[in-house]
Amino acid sequence: MSSIIPSMEDLRPIFEQIITYAPKNLINFVIPQELEENIEKMLTNSGSKMENITSNVDFVLHHCVNTSHPMFVNQLYGGPNPVGLAAACLVEKMNTNQHTYEVAPVFVLTERIVLRHLRKLFFGSDIGDGIFSPGGSFGNMYGLIVARQNKFPEIKKTGLFGLPPMVIFISEDVSKILMAWINANFTSNFCK
């Protein structure tokens, strides 16, 4: 290695290590306090030297839950899909955003095409708009915005101030992220 920061070629063994890692256990349990101390040491004692990167990757792989294990059951996700993993690697390698065509032409057009196909599939027409959600909490936030827009279409022109107070009926089990967003964007008169 000629520089302090490893090149992509220097990291090839790390990528191989990650892709070929196949643990037998669901988890290598360590009590939280001990794991936190070890993470603290790992983060404060390491840098970008190759041996540190290798040992840090080993540490993470060894202490994470093996979501590919047959005994791993979660309501939100499971083990990685090989094609999805390859796609995620590609997206990370490109290190871009899709806010403009100039910086991400392939991703911007791919999003447009996928949304067009989804509109045809679900609504029978490719006319309309769409947005992808990075997760459940954001999906719920988007849903609340759409519901508010549907009930009060004038909000785009007049803003919130001319509207009557809005109340949202929610469960006491609502996520903390969603609850924080609701408190920031709606009146605080909630019925639980």
Side-chain angles (χ1 to χ4, degrees):
M1 273 189 301
S2 57
S3 67
I4 295 174
I5 298 176
S7 69
M8 292 300 275
E9 190 58 38
D10 295 329
L11 293 175
R12 188 176 296 276
I14 300 293
F15 297 133
E16 184 69 26
Q17 174 188 8
I18 293 168
I19 290 171
T20 59
Y21 182 72
K24 302 286 185 251
N25 298 334
L26 176 61
I27 187 169
N28 297 308
F29 182 78
V30 178
I31 60 169
Q33 297 84 351
E34 183 181 334
L35 185 59
E36 185 174 8
E37 289 170 12
N38 290 334
I39 292 171
E40 181 76 30
K41 288 177 195 170
M42 179 183 72
L43 294 176
T44 55
N45 296 335
S46 64
S48 57
K49 292 180 183 173
M50 198 62 192
E51 59 272 10
N52 291 340
I53 294 171
T54 303
S55 66
N56 289 352
V57 168
D58 276 337
F59 178 89
V60 171
L61 290 172
H62 184 74
H63 291 92
C64 283
V65 174
N66 175 10
T67 58
S68 296
H69 194 280
M71 296 302 291
F72 178 79
V73 179
N74 185 280
Q75 71 275 22
L76 300 177
Y77 63 95
N81 174 292
V83 175
L85 180 59
C89 289
L90 175 63
V91 169
E92 287 299 319
K93 166 69 170 103
M94 300 319 299
N95 194 31
T96 189
N97 291 299
Q98 57 190 77
H99 61 285
T100 64
Y101 180 84
E102 291 79 12
V103 298
V106 173
F107 294 137
V108 167
L109 294 177
T110 300
E111 179 182 47
R112 184 182 298 170
I113 292 165
V114 170
L115 285 170
R116 183 171 53 231
H117 285 283
L118 288 172
R119 286 191 300 269
K120 282 182 184 177
L121 178 66
F122 290 105
F123 304 112
S125 170
D126 66 351
I127 298 170
D129 210 348
I131 188 169
F132 289 109
S133 172
S137 291
F138 270 93
N140 287 329
M141 291 176 208
Y142 294 156
L144 288 170
I145 292 169
V146 169
R148 183 179 66 189
Q149 173 66 26
N150 188 51
K151 178 70 176 167
F152 303 106
E154 68 276 13
I155 195 170
K156 281 187 164 183
K157 294 179 184 174
T158 63
L160 290 171
F161 298 109
L163 300 179
M166 291 175 270
V167 176
I168 301 170
F169 293 89
I170 57 173
S171 163
E172 62 186 20
D173 298 322
V174 69
S175 76
K176 290 179 182 178
I177 295 169
L178 184 58
M179 193 65 215
W181 186 85
I182 290 169
N183 283 330
N185 290 279
F186 291 89
T187 62
S188 58
N189 300 323
F190 297 114
C191 296
K192 294 185 180 185

